[in-house]
Amino acid sequence: MNAISELSVIREMLNNLFPIARSLTGEGNRRTLEYLQQFVPITTREIPSGQKVFDWVVPDEWQIRAAWIAGPTGERFVDFEECNLHVVGYSTPVNERLTFTELEPRLHTLPDLPHAVPYRTSYYKRDWGFCVTQEQYQRLKASPGPLEVVIDSKFDAKGSLTIGELVVPGSRKEEILVSTYICHPSMANDNLSGVVTTTLLASEVHKSAKPIHTWRFLFVPETIGPIAYLSSYPDIIKRTVGGLVVTCCGGPGPLGYKMTFQGDHVVDRAIEIAFHELNAEPERYAFSPLGSDERQYSSPGIRIPVATICKDKYHEFKEYHTSADNLNFVKPEYVFESLELYRRVQNILDSNTRIISTIDGGEPQLGARGLYPTIGGANKQSVSKSREGPAGFDLDSVMWTLFFSDGEHDLISIAEKSGRNFSDIVSVVKKLELAGLVTRA
Ligand code: ZN
């Protein structure tokens, strides 16, 4: 797919997914995954409400059909139909007539962003509320009342929590995890950008020739999703060498990444190399146990090093968790930029290997194999690309790669220590393998 048609796919995905009312559980999440299945063969797992998962319990499934606040003449001041952020997520059912004073403690507004609706949830304490713009708040206040307040919601103790998954088996059992969350209703950067990016990355890995690592793509509700999943399939924890949480990667702001809790894990280093190859300087965010699902994957007993490449990271943009995080804020071009980085990182991680020289000792005689300039004595021994050596042959990369072909250094560290491009090192390794000079450790 070329970049232009990929942009139109991203646009179509954003437009179709944006209106769906998602939450921790429920039909909105299933509809989201059903939609994604046309791009990639995601399978779904249902983990029953009430199931104990580590220290948590899977909540009852929440279903919502409608909600509104109407004035005495029936005029609707606030309607869930117009914006699904209007209802506090997991609100209990309500059907009451209230004065503004009685309703007021249940209203959430953003005085600093008066035109935006805030996003609020009450997942683990039964409660209810409405999120409204400052203008709606003023109209409710001015209404003579009483106000008709309706939330047509239901909790199903026999429901379940839905998880989407795609596993692409590699030639190795070691796994790399790519996780995104599907629990946010109509907001675009947090986190439709992550859902779209993960789907398109998964689709590409799925279609490619067999990867080296096994790649596991997860679409989970935030926090309880990874906990429920890992508690149900704990063997995966041991096999997973690292991962990425894909979220907030479609804003107009800077590209950056949040480091793993180790800070210098191979995932961090692959991300640094990817930025370096694009001549881009990332915003670097140190690990903190606050944030998204990297918290769960990194926690004691799990400890999978997980990083996040972001473009307008969560907590860093003023539209965060409001209705202003919409499709005017997120553009397909921004999502595409992040997707390109994620692809590069995926490729780097999957091409990374250690190599060993097949020569018993010393340098191999490259000249005898047509891999070295035949005219000696040049002032600068390390010739650059396509000068003196065979055309297109990067002697610097050849020499560095051979120097580190000791079984101790992986290709990422060779690129780091030599300052050469990772992709050049990879193509040199292929040539050296063909010449019988190195093997993969
Ligand atoms: Zn969020």
Side-chain angles (χ1 to χ4, degrees):
M1 207 187 308
N2 64 35
I4 293 169
S5 54
E6 191 148 47
L7 283 175
S8 71
V9 169
I10 294 172
R11 180 174 294 109
E12 182 195 316
M13 290 175 85
L14 291 170
N15 287 342
N16 286 323
L17 289 167
F18 189 78
I20 300 176
R22 286 165 288 266
S23 185
L24 281 195
T25 58
E27 277 313 308
N29 297 23
R30 295 189 190 101
R31 272 178 58 207
T32 297
L33 292 172
E34 267 169 37
Y35 176 80
L36 298 179
Q37 280 166 338
Q38 61 184 291
F39 300 92
V40 69
I42 296 168
T43 56
T44 55
R45 297 177 187 269
E46 299 285 345
I47 301 183
S49 297
Q51 183 163 312
K52 178 116 170 64
V53 287
F54 292 141
D55 195 42
W56 298 58
V57 175
V58 174
D60 291 350
E61 188 174 319
W62 186 59
Q63 295 158 5
I64 178 151
R65 281 179 289 264
W68 65 84
I69 306 173
T73 58
E75 179 198 4
R76 290 193 180 181
F77 294 118
V78 181
D79 196 340
F80 177 78
E81 192 73 17
E82 278 173 18
C83 170
N84 57 35
L85 268 55
H86 277 319
V87 174
V88 170
Y90 261 66
S91 276
T92 51
V94 181
N95 191 346
E96 291 186 43
R97 278 171 195 282
L98 301 174
T99 64
F100 178 78
T101 312
E102 289 168 320
L103 175 64
E104 207 270 341
R106 302 283 186 175
L107 297 178
H108 302 267
T109 59
L110 292 167
D112 292 343
L113 274 179
H115 303 299
V117 179
Y119 167 57
R120 299 287 180 268
T121 61
S122 184
Y123 292 141
Y124 301 105
K125 178 176 176 275
R126 292 279 159 103
D127 203 352
W128 66 270
F130 279 86
C131 302
V132 298
T133 65
Q134 203 62 33
E135 191 206 5
Q136 286 171 317
Y137 178 92
Q138 293 304 341
R139 289 174 70 203
L140 289 167
K141 194 176 180 179
S143 167
L147 297 162
E148 183 193 32
V149 180
V150 176
I151 299 179
D152 182 6
S153 67
K154 209 173 98 179
F155 291 91
D156 185 357
K158 292 197 166 67
S160 56
L161 175 151
T162 312
I163 284 174
E165 176 186 50
L166 176 82
V167 181
V168 184
S171 48
R172 287 195 210 153
K173 282 227 164 65
E174 287 101 344
E175 295 194 5
I176 298 179
L177 173 74
V178 182
S179 180
T180 194
Y181 50 89
I182 52 165
C183 54
H184 283 38
S186 297
M187 283 172 291
N189 197 32
D190 185 19
N191 184 40
L192 274 193
S193 65
V195 173
V196 169
T197 302
T198 304
T199 304
L200 295 177
L201 183 68
S203 160
E204 191 160 302
V205 176
H206 175 69
K207 283 182 201 148
S208 68
K210 195 173 189 175
I212 292 179
H213 294 92
T214 293
W215 287 81
R216 184 176 299 268
F217 296 89
L218 290 184
F219 300 79
V220 287
E222 206 173 11
T223 308
I224 187 74
I227 289 171
Y229 184 83
L230 294 174
S231 148
S232 306
Y233 310 101
D235 288 355
I236 292 165
I237 300 170
K238 286 180 232 127
R239 294 202 295 271
T240 305
V241 293
L244 295 157
V245 163
V246 191
T247 173
C248 297
C249 55
L255 273 163
Y257 80 103
K258 178 177 172 179
M259 299 171 186
T260 70
F261 65 86
Q262 293 184 356
D264 60 350
H265 184 262
V266 70
V267 172
D268 299 291
R269 292 159 63 212
I271 293 172
E272 284 287 341
I273 283 177
F275 273 101
H276 176 75
E277 292 199 345
L278 292 171
N279 277 325
E281 186 64 15
E283 292 280 329
R284 294 181 183 85
Y285 304 97
F287 179 80
S288 119
L290 301 167
S292 182
D293 284 334
E294 66 278 8
R295 285 161 56 180
Q296 309 312 325
Y297 295 121
S298 304
S299 59
I302 299 174
R303 289 286 196 252
I304 300 170
V306 170
T308 296
I309 299 169
C310 41
K311 188 160 159 44
D312 266 319
K313 181 180 166 288
Y314 51 76
H315 305 159
E316 302 279 327
F317 58 104
K318 71 176 190 311
E319 296 82 357
Y320 172 72
H321 277 190
T322 77
S323 59
D325 177 4
N326 56 26
L327 296 178
N328 294 321
F329 182 70
V330 165
K331 302 263 185 271
E333 299 86 307
Y334 308 151
V335 175
F336 182 75
E337 270 184 71
S338 293
L339 175 61
E340 287 282 85
L341 260 164
Y342 273 104
R343 278 182 176 141
R344 213 169 261 265
V345 170
Q346 188 273 328
N347 193 271
I348 292 168
L349 287 171
D350 220 40
S351 315
N352 193 32
T353 182
R354 284 189 297 259
I355 47 165
I356 301 183
S357 167
T358 57
I359 307 297
D360 290 340
E363 260 182 29
Q365 194 188 357
L366 294 177
R369 295 171 173 91
L371 298 175
Y372 200 79
T374 49
I375 305 295
N379 192 19
K380 187 171 176 288
Q381 197 186 14
S382 61
V383 290
S384 58
K385 274 184 197 174
S386 72
R387 276 178 46 217
E388 296 197 43
F393 210 71
D394 174 4
L395 186 60
D396 274 11
S397 297
V398 172
M399 298 309 284
W400 279 112
T401 305
L402 283 170
F403 180 75
F404 285 119
S405 59
D406 52 12
E408 304 276 314
H409 293 84
D410 59 11
L411 303 194
I412 287 179
S413 48
I414 298 175
E416 287 168 343
K417 286 172 193 266
S418 68
R420 311 302 298 174
N421 272 340
F422 184 85
S423 49
D424 291 340
I425 301 289
V426 170
S427 64
V428 160
V429 167
K430 282 184 189 147
K431 284 173 183 161
L432 294 176
E433 278 184 309
L434 274 177
L437 291 176
V438 297
T439 57
R440 282 162 197 257

